[in-house]
Amino acid sequence: MKRIAIFCVSYHSDKERDAYLTSIEAAAKKAGEEVQVDTFVANNTEADNPGYFGAVKKLMQDVDVAEYDYAIVSNVDLTLAEDFFINLAAYDCPEDTGWIAPRIWSQLEGRDRNPQRLARPTRRKMQILKAFYQYPLLDTIYHHTAYRRKKYNTQAEPGTIYAGHGSLIILTKHYLQKCGKIDYPIFLFCEELFLAENCRQAGLTVRYEPSIRVNDKEHVSIGKMPHSVYCQHNLKAMNYIIKKFFTIAFLAILLLTAGCKDDKNNHSEPSPVPQNPELPTVMIETVNGEELTCELVQAPEGCLGQSIRNANKVGAKMVIVQDGQTLYGSGDYQESEKGVTIKIRGNSSAYKRKKGYKLKLQKKADLLGRNDAKYEDKEWVLITDERTSLNTLIGLKVSELLGLPWTPAYKFVYLELNGDPRGLYLLMESVKRKATRLDVSKEGYIFELDPYWWNEDLYFETRMTETPEVKYTFKYPDPEDITPEQVSYLKGYMDEMEEALIDYNHYQEYIDVESFAAWVLAQDILGNFDGFGSNIFMTKYDNTPNSKIKMGNLWDFDAIMSTPGEWSESHRYPLFVRLLTNGSDTSMATAYEKLWDAQKDSLFIKLYAYLDRLAASEEGKNLNQAFKVDTERWGRRATTVEESIEKAKAWFEERRLWLEEAIKSKKWI
């Protein structure tokens, strides 16, 4: 049984209040023993009117809210759907949820009032909103012009948002435990921003769930308020929210941009020390504070995964600073001239609160500061290490020690996006055709054995990829530029390779066996159990018989070091299984075993020594501080470099022993 407390506030709305209470009673009765609902009502009057959340605060004073699973805060110009409590009780609420935003259907506008805000507003946007209430004529003009033409998202998917609508708010037990009872000192307005910021600071999420439904009659009380009074209350609320939650980040950006002047090399003068000087800070400010958005999509029936579409690419200014020095300055965005573009990247990772981003500089530069023109490029990524650990660092080190064709270079950085500190990221080289990245000619190919093929415009299948789990997609050439002849050539080549493999012929004439062996061995050493998200890149240098298919780089290390006693997920792919178990041509298995025998002693020694040096280094100390910053921002379990290293070393010791026996047994599946 779920215990639910409802704190509702009425002001000259007796008829609406009674209808609301009737709907609560009907929905509770419909849910039966699934819920226990206690309702507390505040009837504000002219003589005693503490406002919306002021009244809620008074109601909560005499209630032990810790006893409840949910505390609902609401107006009374609403009615609940009959299945409201049924769906709320059945909702599988993630532990990091602080606020559930239901479907609030506006009868006046014929739309869902949620999600109210998908992303956190910038300081600049807050100041613009404030101006509307500071000068009421602007608000009047807006509501008679742009507001009427405003387009809303009418097909929003369930998931994480920044803030819901304030007419009905479902606070979870986790919110009440971490943030306490409501204590908002403002009479009216901006309540949503107050709660959203409390959730953000406590590491909690706001989740939109449209199966939980409410009907909204809207503005019964405030609709009677004079416009001038309405603007006065909004202005006071905006001033409070900006001062409490948006001032520090804004001042950092203001000082930074005031101290940066573009020179002819598109770099900037030294800027003030950022908030966290021990690691580089990447500060990005989009043009007009435009928010980054994307459409979340689920795999079709029979396919796997979840991904995104229509990620908007936004122009921005980017500055990288460290210890009082400007390492890089892009200048203000000007297409093809200066600045950068940024957009959300990833597949399932894009569903998380802490998102990854793709950067494209308008002018080439090496953001990792290696002082060599060969590394300069326009394309870079900001990726997250989901567990706030050393997974990516460890994965890339194993790649380097095994000598894979390319291991992406990176550095740890802090990210601030439109004044919002986003925590710890890895600024990294992206996967692309380049002599210092994946080295193929202009006539060559970079392609992927891709579980997300269903979200691509161009793909091809072979005999071993006839199931809907994976197909081949193109990284280079770009699908928009590739010709039918190029698709036909690569598909034909892969068909011939698979035919040779299936018929026990000389498949090594088609593939670089050593690179395949190194790639699979790396996956096995790391114990990567996310085979359908591990980014299986392959390359072919050109379109002649002189070049063979090579395995590309390792990427995506969220699921490494999970369980020590199983093969990695690569052993589930028909291609790799057939390569390892081919009875008449053992080239792949032989290359794998030979590489293991050559590396099994030295690799782990070198890996442990590298990790020990990291723990004792200044970088390790800086990462410990960065882990704390990230934990405070996202509410994850606190960890340290030392803890991560000791855990990794213990895991690898067990893994090493298991691999030794498993490889001897030659039971590859």
Side-chain angles (χ1 to χ4, degrees), residues 244-292:
K244 184 172 179 63
F245 298 113
F246 287 82
T247 301
I248 295 176
F250 169 69
L251 288 177
I253 291 291
L254 183 64
L255 289 170
L256 178 65
T257 54
C260 294
K261 296 181 180 179
D262 298 330
D263 60 22
K264 60 185 178 183
N265 294 319
N266 209 27
H267 283 62
S268 304
E269 296 297 326
S271 64
V273 178
Q275 185 178 359
N276 304 109
E278 64 277 358
L279 289 178
T281 298
V282 177
M283 307 183 80
I284 299 174
E285 190 174 9
T286 62
V287 175
N288 297 324
E290 184 175 351
E291 297 173 355
L292 300 174

Side-chain angles (χ1 to χ4, degrees), residues 79-362:
T79 55
L80 304 185
E82 279 197 349
D83 60 1
F84 178 90
F85 292 119
I86 294 174
N87 292 338
L88 178 57
Y91 179 57
D92 186 12
C93 184
E95 287 189 4
D96 67 346
T97 305
W99 171 5
I100 301 169
R103 177 183 184 267
I104 301 178
W105 187 256
S106 165
Q107 296 179 355
L108 179 65
E109 296 184 352
R111 66 176 182 88
D112 189 351
R113 302 289 287 175
N114 276 322
Q116 190 191 54
R117 290 184 183 273
L118 291 172
R120 187 177 192 253
T122 64
R123 162 81 185 207
R124 179 180 296 174
K125 187 167 185 178
M126 293 292 290
Q127 292 285 22
I128 291 171
L129 291 172
K130 174 183 170 181
F132 278 78
Y133 305 121
Q134 194 167 2
Y135 306 101
L137 180 59
L138 291 177
D139 184 66
T140 300
I141 294 171
Y142 168 72
H143 276 83
H144 284 83
T145 55
Y147 181 81
R148 294 184 177 182
R149 298 191 297 271
K150 188 175 180 180
K151 295 181 179 180
Y152 297 96
N153 185 355
T154 59
Q155 295 181 327
E157 296 291 330
T160 302
I161 62 175
Y162 171 69
H165 194 263
S167 57
L168 189 140
I169 297 156
I170 306 172
L171 299 177
T172 68
K173 181 184 290 287
H174 303 294
Y175 178 93
L176 298 168
Q177 288 172 344
K178 290 192 174 186
C179 304
K181 297 179 180 180
I182 286 177
D183 188 7
Y184 181 53
I186 302 300
F187 180 71
L188 274 178
F189 306 120
C190 292
E191 293 90 356
E192 302 96 332
L193 293 169
F194 175 76
L195 293 179
E197 287 298 305
N198 281 348
C199 285
R200 189 177 72 87
Q201 292 186 351
L204 298 172
T205 59
V206 181
R207 296 184 186 273
Y208 169 60
E209 180 46 58
S211 68
I212 304 169
R213 300 177 299 128
V214 180
N215 293 312
D216 187 1
K217 300 177 183 178
E218 293 189 84
H219 310 316
V220 170
S221 299
I222 65 171
K224 304 170 185 176
M225 183 183 294
H227 185 250
S228 60
V229 177
Y230 168 85
C231 288
Q232 288 173 15
H233 286 305
N234 263 296
L235 179 60
K236 185 177 291 187
M238 291 295 294
N239 281 332
Y240 173 81
I241 295 294
I242 291 171
K243 182 178 180 180
K244 184 172 179 63
F245 298 113
F246 287 82
T247 301
I248 295 176
F250 169 69
L251 288 177
I253 291 291
L254 183 64
L255 289 170
L256 178 65
T257 54
C260 294
K261 296 181 180 179
D262 298 330
D263 60 22
K264 60 185 178 183
N265 294 319
N266 209 27
H267 283 62
S268 304
E269 296 297 326
S271 64
V273 178
Q275 185 178 359
N276 304 109
E278 64 277 358
L279 289 178
T281 298
V282 177
M283 307 183 80
I284 299 174
E285 190 174 9
T286 62
V287 175
N288 297 324
E290 184 175 351
E291 297 173 355
L292 300 174
T293 62
C294 63
E295 177 188 355
L296 305 177
V297 293
Q298 298 290 329
E301 185 176 355
C303 300
L304 298 170
Q306 51 192 12
S307 189
I308 62 172
R309 290 178 187 153
N310 302 322
N312 62 333
K313 185 166 65 174
V314 178
K317 176 178 181 176
M318 181 170 75
V319 179
I320 303 177
V321 294
Q322 183 179 16
D323 198 19
Q325 299 296 315
T326 300
L327 307 181
Y328 171 80
S330 73
D332 293 329
Y333 176 72
Q334 186 176 338
E335 187 176 358
S336 302
E337 295 293 332
K338 55 183 180 176
V340 305
T341 59
I342 179 172
K343 68 177 183 179
I344 297 169
R345 64 168 299 280
N347 291 300
S348 59
S349 62
Y351 280 64
K352 303 181 187 303
R353 292 182 299 147
K354 186 180 180 184
K355 302 186 186 301
Y357 302 99
K358 182 175 181 179
L359 303 173
K360 186 171 184 180
L361 314 183
Q362 300 303 289

